[in-house]
């Protein structure tokens, strides 16, 4: 890479800090959407009944929090090895952030009282799967441009990419399952198993490297 090309590169720090801020806001919005007892709820029994009634919303919050936190972990584990950014990496990163900020909406839609389970589930699962796909593409753009530091550990990169691929596969597969059962969310519990299966894939599949 020539000195002129290096001078045109964008430093990764601003994108990383911006991404961290967006993720923090998304997690905060998730919490703000949690239902709390209103004036009509009285006493310990009333509050406990209210909490039980809205249990599905609290579970959806925990799942969304875990996934957003996982995406943040993936991002910081990969982008800390960037020595510069190109337009392609920035564009994919912004698409990833778009999915992140949509997660509070997708979570609220999933737990709403609308009688459209397949649509609600598909929006939520597709948001998660696309987030993983866009983050994968953002890092792939870095790697194609040769913008990774020389000391980038292949083990950490390979492990992280395997987890991202598992997120994409797990949530994407759950979408057609939702057309036949309302228990499609149980597919998400298979994430560790999917990740294990991807580790057994031949080296080089999807750009993966074994740790």
């Amino acid at each position: 890479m020539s000195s002129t090309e290096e001078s045109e590169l964008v430093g990764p720090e601003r994108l990383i800090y911006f991404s961290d801020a967006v993720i923090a806001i998304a997690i905060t919005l998730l919490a703000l959407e949690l239902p709390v007892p209103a004036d009509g709820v009285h006493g310990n029994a009333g509050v406990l009944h209210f909490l039980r009634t809205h249990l599905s919303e609290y579970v959806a919050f925990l799942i969304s929090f875990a996934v957003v936190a996982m995406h943040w972990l993936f991002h910081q584990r990969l982008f800390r090895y960037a020595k510069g950014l190109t337009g392609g990496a920035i564009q994919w990163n912004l698409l990833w952030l778009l999915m992140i900020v949509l997660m509070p909406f997708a979570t609220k839609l999933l737990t709403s009282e609308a009688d459209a389970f397949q649509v609600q589930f598909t929006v939520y699962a597709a948001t998660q799967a696309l987030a993983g796909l866009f983050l994968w593409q953002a890092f792939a753009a870095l790697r194609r441009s040769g913008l990774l530091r020389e000391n980038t550990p292949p083990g950490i990169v390979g492990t992280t990419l395997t987890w991202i691929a598992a997120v994409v596969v797990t949530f994407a597969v759950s979408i057609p399952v939702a057309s036949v059962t309302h228990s499609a969310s149980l597919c998400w519990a298979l994430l560790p198993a999917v990740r294990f299966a991807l580790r057994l894939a031949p080296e080089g599949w999807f750009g993966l490297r074994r740790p």
Side-chain angles (χ1 to χ4, degrees):
M1 182 178 295
S2 68
S3 58
T4 301
E5 290 173 326
E6 289 180 351
S7 65
E8 294 176 349
L9 293 177
V10 178
E13 294 80 10
R14 291 189 65 186
L15 182 67
I16 293 173
Y17 296 150
F18 175 66
S19 298
D20 287 349
V22 171
I23 289 175
I25 293 171
I27 287 179
T28 301
L29 291 176
L30 282 172
L32 291 177
E33 293 293 342
L34 290 174
V36 295
D39 294 337
V41 178
H42 301 288
N44 295 330
V47 171
L48 289 175
H49 175 73
F50 179 90
L51 295 178
R52 286 194 298 269
T53 302
H54 295 275
L55 183 60
S56 63
E57 294 166 77
Y58 301 134
V59 171
F61 161 76
L62 291 175
I63 293 173
S64 296
F65 179 92
V67 175
V68 172
M70 189 165 50
H71 277 291
W72 173 81
L73 180 62
F74 296 157
H75 191 272
Q76 66 90 16
R77 290 186 72 181
L78 294 176
F79 275 73
R80 64 182 172 181
Y81 299 111
K83 60 183 179 181
L85 296 173
T86 59
I90 294 173
Q91 291 168 7
W92 284 115
N93 196 94
L94 289 174
L95 286 173
W96 170 68
L97 288 176
L98 173 62
M99 296 301 104
I100 295 295
V101 299
L102 282 177
M103 285 186 191
F105 162 77
T107 303
K108 187 174 182 179
L109 178 65
L110 180 66
T111 57
S112 71
E113 297 181 357
D115 186 19
F117 172 76
Q118 282 77 21
V119 173
Q120 294 167 266
F121 188 93
T122 298
V123 170
Y124 185 86
T127 299
Q128 307 289 10
L130 287 173
L133 179 62
F134 293 153
L135 181 56
W136 179 291
Q137 292 293 341
F139 183 74
L142 285 180
R143 190 155 58 179
R144 285 194 301 269
S145 301
L147 293 176
L148 297 179
R149 299 184 187 279
E150 289 72 15
N151 63 344
T152 301
I156 291 179
V157 170
T159 298
T160 305
L161 290 178
T162 304
W163 274 110
I164 295 175
V167 169
V168 174
V169 171
T170 301
F171 280 96
V173 168
S174 71
I175 294 175
V177 175
S179 65
V180 295
T181 175
H182 282 207
S183 300
S185 58
L186 293 177
C187 293
W188 304 338
L190 298 176
L191 178 60
V194 174
R195 187 258 174 178
F196 178 78
L198 289 175
R199 286 187 63 190
L200 300 179
E203 187 171 349
W205 276 29
F206 311 109
L208 298 177
R209 295 294 184 270
R210 289 196 182 93

